[in-house]
Amino acid sequence: MNSLQHRLEAVLNRVISDSAALPQLRPLEGRVVAVSVKGLVRPIYFSVHDARVQLALAPAGQADVSISGTPGAFIRVIRSGFDPSIFRDGSLTLEGDPETIADLKTLLGALNLDAEEALAQVLGDTLAHKAANGARMFGHWAADATDSGTANAAEFLVEEARLLASRPRVERFIAGVDQLRDDAERLRQRIE
């Protein structure tokens, strides 16, 4: 992992530098963060020394913060920061020193990550482009599958289980209620 480790460190430090996030990195100086990705055998530790991120397979001391979660959760954190919904659904856990967690959130919020460019620095242009296209295609497929699943569930509840009314039936019912209200108002006026 030594060559890959150095490449990843270079990419992380370049992203931090390009994002002008060095001021947000400095408060993490000397702190250790353990990152456990579900599916990987062992955690990866990162720490900050001399305003640079360093990665290691063994901690350089006790971890101040431990983050564990699914690969998708980490992608969501990188894209949009620490959204509370990521923690509520259990796909990401974060434990440790509250001050370090706050500093880590600040750093991630300051990053401007071009994932394809970062992958290109590690994997090369061709593989990075293919991986990014694959991720985009997967995202589109997942959105389509969700939409299709929702439509199928709605159709089942309307047509098969008869637990929900169809849109035309609801619209006819609402029109009927409106008509009844108008008729009742006209009748009230006649009676008066």
Side-chain angles (χ1 to χ4, degrees):
M1 172 162 165
N2 208 5
S3 174
L4 180 61
Q5 176 183 344
H6 291 302
R7 284 184 181 176
L8 286 172
E9 283 178 3
V11 167
L12 287 171
N13 287 306
R14 178 178 283 166
V15 166
I16 291 168
S17 172
D18 290 350
S19 301
L22 214 48
Q24 287 79 16
L25 182 66
R26 284 196 174 93
L28 292 168
E29 187 77 31
R31 305 220 184 124
V32 177
V33 177
V35 179
S36 299
V37 180
K38 289 183 182 165
L40 294 182
V41 177
R42 55 190 345 186
I44 297 171
Y45 298 88
F46 88 79
S47 56
V48 178
H49 298 285
D50 298 325
R52 293 192 52 79
V53 172
Q54 295 178 347
L55 299 176
L57 290 176
Q62 176 117 5
D64 295 291
V65 172
S66 296
I67 305 171
S68 62
T70 63
F74 282 105
I75 290 171
R76 286 176 27 207
V77 165
I78 291 170
R79 280 187 171 164
S80 59
F82 282 100
D83 180 15
S85 67
I86 295 171
F87 300 102
R88 279 193 293 265
D89 69 12
S91 57
L92 190 72
T93 60
L94 184 61
E95 300 171 338
D97 175 48
E99 186 178 332
T100 304
I101 292 171
D103 292 339
L104 190 60
K105 287 180 181 181
T106 303
L107 173 65
L108 287 173
L111 295 181
N112 183 11
L113 179 65
D114 179 359
E116 190 169 340
E117 176 62 30
L119 277 175
Q121 293 175 24
V122 176
L123 302 174
D125 288 337
T126 305
L127 284 176
H129 184 67
K130 287 183 179 185
N133 282 343
R136 281 189 283 275
M137 288 172 52
F138 178 75
H140 293 305
W141 173 83
D144 290 346
T146 301
D147 291 344
S148 175
T150 302
N152 287 340
E155 182 180 359
F156 172 79
L157 292 172
V158 170
E159 301 298 331
E160 302 295 327
R162 301 253 185 233
L163 293 173
L164 297 177
S166 65
R167 179 176 292 274
R169 288 181 96 182
V170 170
E171 289 172 352
R172 283 193 307 269
F173 176 77
I174 291 172
V177 168
D178 288 342
Q179 179 68 40
L180 183 61
R181 183 192 64 230
D182 293 343
D183 290 347
E185 180 62 27
R186 280 194 293 276
L187 180 61
R188 185 184 66 76
Q189 288 177 356
R190 277 186 176 170
I191 293 174
E192 289 175 358

